[in-house]
């Protein structure tokens, strides 16, 4: 067992209102500069739809993620080393500006400086890439916003096409009766990132301390193999600097205990951040699971229980700080993924083991039942309508469980059970079987406070102070007394330690024991 820790995210799609506040604040923070005009580290898509870039989930076209070779071992879908070497100077499998969109601004000067007259001046669109006027705006990062299921874009959704092939024409008409939901997307910071494996210069790396995937700008040579390898198309090429850039999970904020910008500014409070422990030795075997539909359960098997004594000992031996273990035990992400099992991964069939998970939307089923003249919150009506959900359950399974409807139905059933239970409780109707677990899940999903939704450890600063305090004994090093009771001197100009006694050192086990005692003392004081 090789225990490692990662900061993960869960998004509750039932609470996303499509306001794009997360996208705009992320844009202003990270990509508001030349060369990144078309880039959105965080974008909100309407589903069904083509996404950003267009049809990014069609890996038969884009060759992203992993696949299994004849021996059942992992290999990059884009090809091996020889193929990449042959295409290193001209990668043929890359999204173009048309697949993303040509960013634009408006010629506001024409409005401000137009002379008085009988005509009405207009602000024509102007390309941010070329600076030239554009005839018309044809596409954007969310062009099909609020048009889910529309004949113009819905039929071209890769998941819709796959469902038509597998299920037939019967489902098509239910799509065109109109349904939609919002899907915010960032980099998945995967456990098995294809982008890291594909980079010829080794510029992409996954941080061992928190699992965040970053790009070393000094080592990046702009080969753009990572753009092809990422199945979520969340790595972008800066055409001004010639470097690859991607979502950083706001690591400068996370390192000091603050949530990501997209989480901080979300009006719907739909995002959760927390620590997940996993066994690094199991990742490759889980990603090599033969059946795509078993990948969800395989990834669940990689995660470790921080309350298990054996896991705690292995984590301490691996050097995981005590604060990280405490954060893992209080992690809202772990509760939603492993305990309640209502959060699901995005496209596990890509075999990258994503670490941004989603709670599927349930609201439309309540609306559909209510519109039919029945009580949409009644437990019997609610459970009976899950399979007839306005958002077809097969579509959700195509997004989150590689087509397996059982985990999606289970997650939706638990969400429906929570609604029915809390309805009885709020109407002063005593539930048949009181459940503390359901009430805890309701609190986490509905009314959780800031500190409950974002459990981010700041072990680095706390450990630094503790080590300093332990090493110095609470005083200055020059005041440390020698065995004969005389004050020690300082080291000489040549580094000799004559007349100076070395500071006491503590083992890792002693340090963690000291930290636990300090935490217990603080809790007793509170």
């Amino acid at each position: 067992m090789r225990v490692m820790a990662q900061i993960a995210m869960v998004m509750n799609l039932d609470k996303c209102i499509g306001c794009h506040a997360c996208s705009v604040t992320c844009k202003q923070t990270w990509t508001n500069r030349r060369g990144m005009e078309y880039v959105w580290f965080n974008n909100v898509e309407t589903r069904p739809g083509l996404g950003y870039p267009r049809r990014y989930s069609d890996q038969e076209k884009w060759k992203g993620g992993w696949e299994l070779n004849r021996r059942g071992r992992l290999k990059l879908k884009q090809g091996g080393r020889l193929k990449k070497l042959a295409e290193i100077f001209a990668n043929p499998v890359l999204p173009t500006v048309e697949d993303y969109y040509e960013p634009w601004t408006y010629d506001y000067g024409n409005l401000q400086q137009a002379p008085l007259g009988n005509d009405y001046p207009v602000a024509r669109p102007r390309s941010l890439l070329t600076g030239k006027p554009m005839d018309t705006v044809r596409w954007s990062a969310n062009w099909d916003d609020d048009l889910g299921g529309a004949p113009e874009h819905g039929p071209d959704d890769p998941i819709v096409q796959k469902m038509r092939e597998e299920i037939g024409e019967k489902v098509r008409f239910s799509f065109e009766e109109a349904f939609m939901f919002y899907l915010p997307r960032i980099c998945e910071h995967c456990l098995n990132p294809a982008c890291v494996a594909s980079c010829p210069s080794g510029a992409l790396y996954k941080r061992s301390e928190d699992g965040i995937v970053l790009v070393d700008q000094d080592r990046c040579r702009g080969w753009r193999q990572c753009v092809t390898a990422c199945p979520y198309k969340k790595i972008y090429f800066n055409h001004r600097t010639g470097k690859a850039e991607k979502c950083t999970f706001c690591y400068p904020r996370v390192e000091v205990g603050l949530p990501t910008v997209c989480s901080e500014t979300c009006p719907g409070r739909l995002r959760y951040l927390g620590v997940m422990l996993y066994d690094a030795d199991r990742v490759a075997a889980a990603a090599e699971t033969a059946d795509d539909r078993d990948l969800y359960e395989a990834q669940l098997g990689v995660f470790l229980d921080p309350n298990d004594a054996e896991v705690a000992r292995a984590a301490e031996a691996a050097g995981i700080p005590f604060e990280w273990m405490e954060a893992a035990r209080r992690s809202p992400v772990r509760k939603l993924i492993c305990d309640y099992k209502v959060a699901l991964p995005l496209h596990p069939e890509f075999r990258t083991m994503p670490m941004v998970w989603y709670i599927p939307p349930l609201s439309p089923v309540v609306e559909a039942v209510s519109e039919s003249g029945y009580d949409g919150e009644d437990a019997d009506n609610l459970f009976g309508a899950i399979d007839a959900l306005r958002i077809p359950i097969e579509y959700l399974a195509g997004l989150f469980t590689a087509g397996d409807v059982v985990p999606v139905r289970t997650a939706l059933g638990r969400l429906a059970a929570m609604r029915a239970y809390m309805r009885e409780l709020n109407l002063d109707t005593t539930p048949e079987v009181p459940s503390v677990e359901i009430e805890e899940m309701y609190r986490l999903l509905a009314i959780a406070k800031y500190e409950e939704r974002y459990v981010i450890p700041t072990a680095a600063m706390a450990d630094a102070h503790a080590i300093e305090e332990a090493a110095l004994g609470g005083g200055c090093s020059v005041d440390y007394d020698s065995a004969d009771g005389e004050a020690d001197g300082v080291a000489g100009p040549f580094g000799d330690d004559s007349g100076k006694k070395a500071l006491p050192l503590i083992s890792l086990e002693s340090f963690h024991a000291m930290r636990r005692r300090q935490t217990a003392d603080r809790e007793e004081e509170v």
Side-chain angles (χ1 to χ4, degrees):
M1 182 189 302
R2 185 158 58 98
V3 182
M4 298 190 73
Q6 169 145 354
I7 301 289
M9 179 183 289
V10 167
M11 302 191 206
N12 186 356
L13 298 184
D14 240 354
K15 302 173 77 173
C16 184
I17 61 176
C19 65
H20 300 277
C22 53
S23 299
V24 173
T25 51
C26 177
K27 181 72 174 175
Q28 294 296 320
T29 302
W30 292 104
T31 60
N32 189 17
R33 49 199 161 82
R34 298 294 301 275
M36 303 293 282
E37 296 90 349
Y38 75 101
V39 172
W40 297 81
F41 286 169
N42 183 111
N43 71 289
V44 181
E45 302 170 355
T46 298
R47 287 291 175 173
L50 301 188
Y52 162 78
R54 296 191 219 196
R55 295 175 55 86
Y56 71 88
S57 59
D58 182 8
Q59 301 314 318
E60 295 304 317
K61 175 181 180 181
W62 299 119
K63 307 298 181 184
W66 302 86
E67 62 182 4
L68 299 181
N69 60 18
R70 296 178 180 177
R71 295 179 296 172
R73 303 299 298 273
L74 285 173
K75 70 171 185 177
L76 289 172
K77 198 174 184 69
Q78 67 182 126
R81 295 181 180 180
L82 292 178
K83 187 174 187 300
K84 288 196 296 181
L85 181 61
E87 300 172 348
I88 195 168
F89 294 108
N91 188 351
V93 187
L94 286 175
T96 63
V97 171
E98 288 74 20
D99 294 308
Y100 293 103
Y101 74 105
E102 185 170 5
W104 73 91
T105 185
Y106 292 99
D107 191 0
Y108 295 108
N110 189 44
L111 292 179
Q112 299 167 352
Q113 301 170 8
L116 293 176
N118 296 326
D119 57 340
Y120 293 92
V122 296
R124 294 184 60 189
R126 184 178 294 273
S127 172
L128 286 174
L129 299 180
T130 65
K132 298 178 180 179
M134 299 171 60
D135 294 334
T136 182
V137 175
R138 301 181 182 275
W139 197 255
S140 75
N142 195 23
W143 190 255
D144 45 8
D145 189 11
D146 294 343
L147 294 177
E152 293 83 0
H153 307 294
D156 294 328
D157 185 328
I159 300 177
V160 174
Q161 292 181 342
K162 186 176 181 180
M163 287 182 60
R164 285 180 177 174
E165 295 172 0
E166 295 179 354
I167 302 174
E169 296 296 312
K170 181 180 178 181
V171 177
R172 183 186 67 171
F173 295 104
S174 64
F175 276 124
E176 294 177 357
E177 289 174 1
F179 73 91
M180 52 162 282
F181 64 96
Y182 300 107
L183 180 70
R185 288 202 309 121
I186 64 172
C187 170
E188 297 288 327
H189 296 275
C190 310
L191 296 182
N192 184 36
C195 57
V196 174
S198 69
C199 181
S201 58
L204 276 140
Y205 63 99
K206 185 175 179 66
R207 301 207 309 185
S208 60
E209 61 267 29
D210 52 21
I212 297 175
V213 179
L214 297 175
V215 182
D216 186 342
Q217 294 291 296
D218 292 332
R219 300 186 65 177
C220 180
R221 296 296 178 265
W223 301 120
R224 286 174 277 186
Q225 298 290 332
C226 55
V227 179
T228 301
C230 176
Y232 305 97
K233 292 296 173 278
K234 278 298 174 181
I235 300 183
Y236 307 91
F237 181 70
N238 186 325
H239 57 86
R240 300 283 295 185
T241 64
K243 307 284 187 178
E245 297 191 30
K246 63 178 294 296
C247 163
T248 65
F249 213 77
C250 294
Y251 73 89
R253 293 174 57 89
V254 171
E255 286 177 350
V256 296
L258 295 175
T260 61
V261 170
C262 57
S263 302
E264 183 82 70
T265 58
C266 176
R269 304 193 305 175
L270 62 95
R271 301 181 189 235
Y272 301 82
L273 292 172
V275 176
M276 292 291 292
L277 299 182
Y278 66 95
D279 186 353
D281 291 335
R282 298 186 199 169
V283 171
E288 290 175 350
T289 301
D291 191 342
D292 289 349
R293 299 192 175 197
D294 295 332
L295 286 167
Y296 163 66
E297 290 292 342
Q299 186 167 357
L300 285 180
V302 171
F303 299 136
L304 300 173
D305 184 0
N307 297 302
D308 186 282
E310 182 180 353
V311 172
R313 286 192 293 269
E316 186 173 355
I320 295 179
F322 177 69
E323 279 80 2
W324 281 71
M325 291 299 297
E326 289 298 303
R329 295 184 180 104
R330 297 185 296 110
S331 173
V333 172
R334 171 172 173 76
K335 293 178 183 177
L336 295 171
I337 293 176
C338 299
D339 296 344
Y340 307 141
K341 292 188 176 180
V342 294
L344 304 170
L346 181 64
H347 289 299
E349 67 273 17
F350 297 159
R351 300 179 182 272
T352 59
M353 315 292 280
M355 290 302 286
V356 177
W357 289 41
Y358 296 86
I359 300 174
L362 183 62
S363 292
V365 70
V366 179
E367 298 172 5
V369 174
S370 300
E371 289 172 2
S372 64
Y374 295 93
D375 185 356
E377 297 288 351
D378 182 78
D380 295 333
N381 296 334
L382 204 55
F383 285 114
I386 285 179
D387 284 331
L389 191 64
R390 179 179 296 177
I391 302 176
I393 196 169
E394 293 85 0
Y395 185 86
L396 296 175
L399 269 178
F400 302 122
T401 54
D404 186 6
V405 298
V406 175
V408 178
R409 187 181 290 115
T410 301
L412 294 176
R414 288 175 177 167
L415 295 173
M418 180 192 70
R419 289 193 179 191
Y421 178 89
M422 294 307 301
R423 181 177 187 264
E424 293 182 3
L425 205 62
N426 292 329
L427 293 179
D428 294 329
T429 304
T430 304
E432 295 182 1
V433 182
S435 174
V436 176
E437 184 179 6
I438 290 182
E439 294 182 27
E440 291 177 349
M441 183 170 71
Y442 164 76
R443 175 174 179 81
L444 184 59
L445 292 176
I447 59 176
K449 302 298 183 183
Y450 186 93
E451 60 276 5
E452 296 176 88
R453 290 182 288 119
Y454 309 132
V455 181
I456 307 171
T458 55
M461 187 177 298
D463 290 356
H465 292 314
I467 292 174
E468 181 183 18
E469 183 178 344
L472 301 181
C476 180
S477 60
V478 296
D479 295 330
Y480 191 88
D481 292 335
S482 60
D484 55 5
E486 297 180 359
D488 295 322
V490 296
F494 300 101
D496 60 282
D497 56 353
S498 57
K500 182 178 188 298
K501 186 175 181 179
L503 295 176
L505 299 178
I506 58 174
S507 65
L508 183 63
E509 293 77 8
S510 301
F511 166 68
H512 286 303
M514 179 194 66
R515 295 294 295 143
R516 286 193 290 269
R517 289 195 301 270
Q518 291 178 345
T519 302
D521 293 341
R522 286 196 298 266
E523 291 177 351
E524 290 180 0
E525 291 176 359
V526 173

